[in-house]
Every structure is written in structure tokens, then in C-alpha cells.
Amino acid sequence: MSATLRFDNIGKVFPGVRALDGVSFDVNAGEVHGLMGENGAGKSTLLKILGGEYQPDSGRVLIDDKEVHFASAAASIAAGIAVIHQELQYVPDLTVSENLLLGALPNRLGWVDKRAAKAHVRERLAAMGVDLDPNAKLRKLSIAQRQMVEICKALLRNARVIALDEPTSSLSHRETEVLFKLVRDLQADNRALIYISHRMDEIYELCNACTIFRDGRKIASHLSLADVPRETLVQEMVGREISDIYNYRARPLGDVRFSVKNVEGDALSAPASFEVKRGEIVGFFGLVGAGRSELMHLVYGADKKKGGDIMLDGKPIKVRSTGEAIRHGIVLCPEDRKEEGIVAMATVAENINISCRRHYLRGGLFLDRKKEAQTAERFIQLLKIKTPSRKQRIRFLSGGNQQKAILSRWLAEPDLKVVILDEPTRGIDVGAKHEIYNVIYQLAERGCAIVMISSELPEVLGVSDRIVVMRQGRIAGELAREKASEQTVLSLALPQAETVAQAA
């Protein structure tokens, strides 16, 4: 019988939070069913129930009209379910082939047959059109490549029901095209697919049907998207109308605040130079592997630079560590919030105060807990972080709310001068994006120099005063806002051979 998935009146409660409240909808075989909603709406919680990580407090999950119970992730996998989470699940010190076959590695006489594993993985990856080295350790791969490993892991299991949570949030255009082809092939093979994304273009391009969540409830299900305007989906998600998500606000710019001259590093193919004025938002765009994050790690002191100078307000400064950068008023929100941003076992309040708490010492020895609590509560309210309390462990929050907590950490710094944001809205819903853009504008209006890295070209064009484009480890050029378009930016970002091929 064809695989059909049904959620019947699913409910899930955590301390202080009703994550899911009577959720019901069907996903049919041969269907790609979109799932949309704000961060914290309950989408990821539902997938964790499907994947056996959580058990529902009420309701039923049915496959082929038979009720199923998954006491563990292994039970879900054994039943033909594959869930690809937004926060990636991998073993960084194992290779691509070992990660892909984890739990099902071929063996000879009780020993792992690495040669057979690599040959099998190489063959399957080639069949899927995915370019990954089976011998590469996950730790050495980019976020985008790790994401592709997670996607391929599900496909290798030949799952009947596949759920993808923000699968393109870190992928390049080319990798996204490969993913879309894989999704369509799975649909043609009569699999049932759930596809979570905040990107409207993807939902309309891939999905047959769509269900909208808000505050743990199903707001609407659309069995066909052909006649549903985008504005309707946005309003159903956020409960209000958002006419212009970017809401760009022009502002007067001051003198050069942050200047980088001829910085060199292992990941760069040429010395890099750029500058940012007071109140200016400079967007950095480039394809995956262009060197944007690597350049920012060098100027922030996270990686050791081989040469070059950094100037702040016209004066040269030394940035040999992240601690020195922070003391100078330079902060960075990292792309990989799970590994580089949050302290997973700490509370929301502790994550917000982790940097600024040095200002709350009394007599240099005792923390002022009252001030820490006030700071946490202020930013929970300001950025609308969805959490039952400031004492909730941050790992229980949605990815978007974790991102808001990281942003709060730096907003709590009393003397911010330079703010570097690396993919600040990755995997974040349209309503939260709108709020984060407003915070960015407020920081710029305070005179901060803002650097924003984004792989979403419309976002770069919508928010930036000026755009710097990187290609193959070097700065390829820059464009003023009024002269920037998708075509002009992409012509700088694409390798020359690819640009010529597209023009032809």
C-alpha cells in the first residue's frame, strides 16, 4: 500500500509551553507537503514526534491508516521514516561515508569494511548527482556540505516518509538545484514528503499542498497552492500583514568607523580590504566557499591572520583574539549557532549575559544577579524571544529564538562599535526576519558599523547600503545600493567561465 502519513489531533506540552495543540493533517504518497509558520510555532516539535525523539501527549500518528508509536529515533528509522532536522545531526570526526552509513556500516568478521563503505557511498552519491568526498571528515566541510550529507543520509535509507526542515538554509544555488531534483525524484517514486521552509519561492516551486502553523495550532491547510496568494500565507503565519519585509530606512552616514587593509589568511586567495562608515550597513555576498565567513573570522580574531591591518575610528588596533575584538566593541554573530553561538546546556538568561556579565561584577568577585535578570528580561521582551522563562535551557528553543538570544547577547554590550552578522536570518520566519532587520537599522542609527553576510541575494539587496561581493577567496568588487541588482551582483559572484556559459 502507498505510504500515507496522518497526524490526528496531536498535542505536546513542555513546562510552561503548549508546543502543539490538536494538530491534524494528512500527507499523501507522491506529495510534497509544505509546512510553514513562525519560529516556535511547533513545526520542529512535530517532526521530532515523527522522528521518535518526542512522544505526543495526545493524539495519534498513522501510516497507511495504522497507528504507530515510536519510542526512539531508531524505531522511527526502522519504520521507514527519515527526518532531516534544521540543526544538523552528525559526528564531526567521522568521514562522509561513516556518517552516511552510521548504524549500518558494512563489516567483515566483525570489523568495519571501510573500502566497501567508501565504494558504496561513492556509487550512491554519483547516482544522486552529489559531489562529496567519501573520505572527508565532516569537521573539515562547510556548513552547506554538511547539510548535503544529512540530506543524502535520509536518501540512502530509502525511507518511505521523508521530512526536511529548512534543507536549503545553507546551500548554494547549485546545491539547491540538486536538492530540488532529488525531491522531485522522490515524489515521482511515490514517497510522502514534508517540506519546512520560510522561503516562499521554494514552497510554491516544490509543494503540492501546504499547512500553516501558529502558536502550536494548525491555522489552515491548502490542498492546492495554485490560487493562494503569497500575502495570504504570510498573514496566516504571523497573524498580521507585512507589506515590505525589508522596510529599508535610509540614514545619514558618518566617517569611516571600521577599516580592514590587506588582510591575509589561509582561506583567502588574495589580500582583502574594505571599510564601513558609521551608520552604514555593508552586505557581503558570494557563493558558498567564496571566503566571506573566513574573512570575518580573520578580522574578528577567531582565526589567525597572516598579515594586514585593522583600524577603528581612524586608529590602528590589534585583534589577536575574539576577547580583544569584544573589548574594542567588535562583535560577531556566527553562522553556525549550534556549534559557535549558543551554550546548549545553559539557560536563555545565561546565554544573553555571557559576554556582558563582566560589567556586572561587584568588587570584581560577585555577580549582580538582579542586573543579569533585568538584562535578560529586557531583551526577551525587545526581540520577542518565545520562551516560558529566562531560566529555560536554550537548547529547547527553536532555531530562530536561539538566534534572537545570540543577537541579544551583543545588543547587551554597552559600547558596540562594529557588528558582524553572519547569516543572521538563516532558518528564520518572515515575521522574525522583519524584527531582526529593524534591530539592524536601530544599531546603524546609533552609529554602529554593520557588516551583514547573507546567501539570500534579495536580503542583501533589500537591507544593505553597499554590497561587497566575494568570489573564490577574494573581493571581486563592490556596488552602491542604487547600482546593485541581482544581475550585477551575480555577475561579480559567479566564476568567469560560469558567467560566460550563462550569457550564452
Side-chain angles (χ1 to χ4, degrees):
M1 183 181 291
S2 298
T4 301
L5 171 66
R6 172 170 292 174
F7 295 105
D8 179 25
N9 204 34
I10 298 293
K12 183 66 180 177
V13 177
F14 295 108
V17 177
R18 182 172 292 277
L20 293 171
D21 187 2
V23 170
S24 301
F25 67 94
D26 295 350
V27 184
N28 297 314
E31 176 181 81
V32 183
H33 194 109
L35 197 56
M36 302 191 75
E38 291 191 281
N39 294 109
K43 308 181 300 297
S44 296
T45 299
L46 187 72
L47 292 200
K48 288 180 179 179
I49 288 173
L50 179 63
E53 295 181 54
Y54 298 156
Q55 281 69 51
D57 295 325
S58 59
R60 303 180 301 161
V61 179
L62 299 97
I63 295 178
D64 295 337
D65 293 326
K66 295 179 181 178
E67 187 173 352
V68 293
H69 301 275
F70 301 136
S72 65
S76 174
I77 292 168
I81 310 293
V83 179
I84 302 163
H85 296 286
Q86 180 183 351
E87 303 298 341
L88 305 181
Q89 313 289 324
Y90 56 85
V91 184
D93 289 316
L94 294 184
T95 65
V96 168
S97 60
E98 289 166 337
N99 270 274
L100 289 176
L101 298 175
L102 202 59
L105 284 161
N107 67 85
R108 293 176 62 187
L109 303 176
W111 295 89
V112 173
D113 189 338
K114 293 186 177 181
R115 182 177 296 178
K118 291 172 187 176
H120 176 64
V121 166
R122 187 174 283 110
E123 180 183 340
R124 292 298 301 274
L125 292 178
M128 289 186 283
V130 177
D131 183 19
L132 285 170
D133 178 6
N135 298 316
K137 287 194 175 182
L138 266 287
R139 187 180 297 281
K140 300 292 185 181
L141 300 184
S142 68
I143 296 293
Q145 290 170 320
R146 296 176 201 175
Q147 187 110 30
M148 286 304 295
V149 171
E150 286 295 291
I151 293 164
C152 292
K153 188 190 298 181
L155 303 183
L156 283 171
R157 291 174 182 157
N158 293 317
R160 301 164 66 225
V161 178
I162 300 171
L164 302 99
D165 191 354
E166 294 289 347
T168 65
S169 60
S170 296
L171 300 187
S172 69
H173 177 71
R174 183 178 295 143
E175 289 163 329
T176 298
E177 287 182 338
V178 171
L179 172 67
F180 282 12
K181 181 182 182 301
L182 293 173
V183 169
R184 293 188 181 104
D185 288 347
L186 289 166
Q187 182 183 6
D189 197 33
N190 222 31
R191 314 290 180 95
L193 295 106
I194 296 175
Y195 192 94
I196 295 180
S197 179
H198 295 304
R199 297 177 178 179
M200 290 286 183
D201 290 343
E202 295 181 8
I203 294 294
Y204 277 92
E205 184 170 345
L206 285 179
C207 299
N208 311 94
C210 183
T211 293
I212 309 297
F213 277 26
R214 188 168 74 237
D215 297 328
R217 297 182 179 90
K218 185 187 83 171
I219 300 301
S221 277
H222 302 282
L223 300 182
S224 172
L225 289 172
D227 299 318
V228 181
R230 297 182 180 218
E231 295 76 14
T232 299
L233 295 187
V234 172
Q235 194 159 2
E236 288 172 346
M237 277 196 297
V238 302
R240 63 190 188 279
E241 185 177 347
I242 297 178
S243 55
D244 178 10
I245 184 176
Y246 303 114
N247 194 26
Y248 174 77
R249 305 204 297 249
R251 73 207 75 80
L253 305 182
D255 298 331
V256 173
R257 166 142 259 193
F258 187 55
S259 179
V260 173
K261 301 289 185 185
N262 298 317
V263 163
E264 298 177 82
D266 290 334
L268 302 181
S269 60
S273 300
F274 67 92
E275 58 185 32
V276 190
K277 295 178 180 178
R278 290 173 181 264
E280 187 177 28
I281 302 169
V282 174
F284 268 71
F285 182 78
L287 305 181
V288 172
R292 300 163 300 163
S293 298
E294 291 81 358
L295 172 58
M296 296 309 152
H297 282 197
L298 291 171
V299 303
Y300 184 60
D303 292 332
K304 188 175 181 180
K305 66 180 189 297
K306 292 183 174 180
D309 300 303
I310 299 173
M311 300 185 73
L312 186 64
D313 293 330
K315 298 177 181 178
I317 60 170
K318 298 289 186 184
V319 182
R320 292 161 296 196
S321 67
T322 57
E324 279 192 335
I326 293 168
R327 285 191 289 274
H328 284 301
I330 304 168
V331 301
L332 181 145
C333 290
E335 176 186 10
D336 190 342
R337 57 177 168 256
K338 182 179 178 182
E339 286 201 3
E340 300 176 349
I342 65 167
V343 180
M345 297 303 293
T347 66
V348 174
E350 287 167 335
N351 271 273
I352 291 173
N353 285 291
I354 200 167
S355 176
C356 69
R357 69 178 4 167
R358 68 188 191 280
H359 301 294
Y360 299 155
L361 290 172
R362 291 181 297 180
L365 295 174
F366 302 102
L367 278 174
D368 190 329
R369 298 290 184 183
K370 185 177 180 181
K371 281 189 177 180
E372 284 206 348
Q374 290 172 343
T375 298
E377 292 292 348
R378 179 158 61 94
F379 285 105
I380 287 169
Q381 296 299 319
L382 179 67
L383 269 69
K384 300 177 183 175
I385 300 172
K386 291 183 179 178
T387 177
S389 79
R390 68 176 186 274
K391 296 179 180 180
Q392 174 73 292
R393 288 189 179 182
I394 198 168
R395 66 189 180 94
F396 293 118
L397 270 58
S398 69
N401 285 298
Q402 290 176 2
Q403 188 81 329
K404 289 182 183 180
I406 297 168
L407 191 55
S408 298
R409 176 187 304 164
W410 301 128
L411 293 176
E413 282 289 334
D415 192 22
L416 275 185
K417 295 182 175 71
V418 180
V419 181
I420 303 170
L421 304 163
D422 195 349
E423 303 286 1
T425 64
R426 181 172 71 88
I428 289 180
D429 64 81
V430 63
K433 283 185 178 182
H434 188 67
E435 293 162 5
I436 286 176
Y437 297 147
N438 281 328
V439 171
I440 292 172
Y441 297 140
Q442 289 167 17
L443 287 169
E445 287 160 1
R446 279 169 45 183
C448 290
I450 311 291
V451 175
M452 188 186 75
I453 298 172
S454 177
S455 298
E456 292 190 41
L457 186 47
E459 178 174 75
V460 173
L461 293 170
V463 175
S464 307
D465 301 303
R466 185 162 47 90
I467 298 169
V468 175
V469 183
M470 292 192 70
R471 182 179 70 233
Q472 297 175 328
R474 65 175 65 211
I475 291 177
E478 64 177 64
L479 297 161
R481 178 182 178 84
E482 58 273 13
K483 293 185 179 180
S485 66
E486 290 201 13
Q487 184 177 353
T488 55
V489 173
L490 283 173
S491 67
L492 289 171
L494 290 169
Q496 192 62 38
E498 197 167 332
T499 306
V500 172
Q502 287 204 350

